[in-house]
């Protein structure tokens, strides 16, 4: 017999976790293992499947109660009767909760039914593309999307004008009814969703003509969000209550906005640091000089030291991306020396003359290097030029 999966461990929550804690844990894991972010990753695909399976069970009070019982009493989910007797056949979860509810004051059945007004609508996830600078500096964006919006005409009640309803006479507004049954094990009390009002606790006298009694309509929602400085690809924001509307005036879900940041022509981002190549002339690299360097907000003067080599890296503190939580990153410059091309004959002669003047110093350096290699390996790869 296969071992029962522990859905609480899969979601990383305690067995006493509230529905809100379960929902929050599910959102984080579903986003982490989503197939769109882990293309071709079979392990992530299996994790995503397990997370959804765990959420489907633990988010439903009836399924969760049955699952908890089976977790505590392994092997009891399909028995035919107590002590082999024939009075209890089939043995599903629903039957288990019926029998034990008489001994625990309705512990398994009680509270498991929920009204429509306690339901929460589904979340909506949308991607938003941002320019590199908008993401680095922060911005305000307005966009529209389609969802199930709470009906304004009936205020989500499903009743005309939001008033044409009354308390359900069968359940007295509770949304659930109790069914009492005498069995061989004693008296059982079972709670179920009221069939007359569907768990809403209200009886609609006249349906809202706009939403046909559903409490929501399909429509376009426009939302404006303030994006803080420093967001990056796969960063996300949550807009509470802007997801799908729930039936019967329940709480709407949330809007989750995932960012995709476009690349920049000059900067490359590394966390909150910025990296860039800084082209300088041969003269500036050799003799030193001042060059203008761009940042996210403006430019500043950077002094290139004399004798700077191509590929040399300089770190300028506090010139990276600002973040409310992490301070400001650094700007990392890699110097690229631009070697002149298409020289005139006169320019070539001048460079050759300069090279001849520098040759003695260069030869001295090479001779010392060669002597060191000879001392170490018995080889002398560099000989003095004749």
């Amino acid at each position: 017999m296969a071992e029962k999966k522990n859905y609480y461990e899969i979601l990383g929550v305690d067995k006493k976790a509230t529905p809100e804690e379960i929902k929050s844990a599910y959102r984080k894991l579903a986003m982490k293992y989503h197939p769109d972010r882990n293309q071709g990753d079979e392990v992530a695909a299996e994790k995503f499947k397990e997370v959804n399976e765990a959420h489907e069970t633990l988010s439903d009070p009836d399924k969760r109660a049955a699952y908890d019982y089976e977790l505590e009493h392994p092997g009891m989910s399909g028995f035919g009767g107590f002590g082999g007797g024939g009075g209890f056949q089939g043995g599903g979860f629903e039957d288990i909760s019926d029998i034990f509810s008489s001994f625990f004051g309705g512990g398994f059945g009680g509270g498991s039914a929920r009204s429509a007004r306690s339901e929460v609508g589904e979340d909506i996830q949308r991607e938003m593309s941002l320019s590199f600078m908008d993401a680095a500096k922060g911005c305000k964006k307005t966009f529209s999307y389609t969802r199930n919006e709470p009906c304004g005409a009936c205020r989500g009640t499903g009743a005309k004008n939001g008033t044409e309803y009354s308390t359900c006479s069968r359940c007295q507004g509770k949304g659930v009814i109790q069914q009492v049954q005498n069995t061989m094990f004693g008296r059982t009390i079972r709670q179920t969703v009221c069939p007359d009002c569907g768990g809403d606790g209200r009886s609609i006298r006249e349906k809202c003509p706009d939403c046909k009694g559903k409490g929501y309509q399909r429509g376009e929602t426009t939302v404006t969000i303030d994006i803080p400085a420093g967001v990056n690809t796969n960063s996300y924001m949550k807009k509470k209550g802007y997801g799908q509307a729930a039936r019967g005036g329940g709480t709407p879900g949330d809007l989750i906005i995932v960012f995709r940041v476009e690349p920049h022509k000059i900067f490359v981002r590394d966390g909150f640091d910025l990296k860039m190549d800084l082209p300088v002339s041969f003269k500036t690299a050799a003799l030193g000089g001042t060059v203008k360097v761009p940042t996210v907000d403006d430019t500043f003067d950077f002094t290139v030291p004399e004798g700077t080599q191509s590929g040399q890296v300089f770190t300028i503190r506090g010139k990276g991306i600002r973040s409310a939580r992490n301070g400001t990153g650094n700007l990392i410059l890699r110097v690229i020396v631009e070697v002149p091309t298409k020289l005139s004959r006169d320019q070539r002669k001048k460079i050759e003359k300069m090279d001849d003047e520098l040759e003695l110093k260069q030869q001295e350096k090479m001779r010392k290097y060669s002597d060191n290699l000879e001392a170490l390996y018995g080889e002398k790869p560099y000989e003095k030029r004749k």
Side-chain angles (χ1 to χ4, degrees), residues 2 39 51 57 86 89 101 104 168 174 176 208 221 240 251 280 375:
Q39 294 184 9
V51 167
T57 297
Q89 303 295 329
S101 63
F104 296 96
C168 176
K174 297 177 182 178
V176 295
C208 172
T221 296
K240 197 169 183 62
T251 304
V280 300

Side-chain angles (χ1 to χ4, degrees), residues 306-361:
E306 179 181 340
T308 295
Q309 302 297 304
S310 189
Q312 193 166 342
V313 175
F314 298 91
T315 299
I316 316 300
R317 299 188 65 82
K319 292 292 186 179
I321 295 175
R322 295 189 308 275
S323 169
R325 295 182 179 179
N326 301 288
T328 304
N330 302 322
L331 176 62
I332 301 170
L333 303 177
R334 183 176 65 172
V335 173
I336 304 297
V337 179
E338 294 184 330
V339 179
T341 59
K342 297 181 180 180
L343 298 173
S344 67
R345 182 177 298 179
D346 185 54
Q347 289 171 332
R348 285 177 177 273
K349 287 182 179 181
K350 288 180 179 179
I351 291 177
E352 287 172 355
K353 181 180 179 180
M354 181 182 67
D355 183 59
D356 288 340
E357 293 172 353
L358 296 174
E359 183 69 20
L360 290 176
K361 292 183 178 180

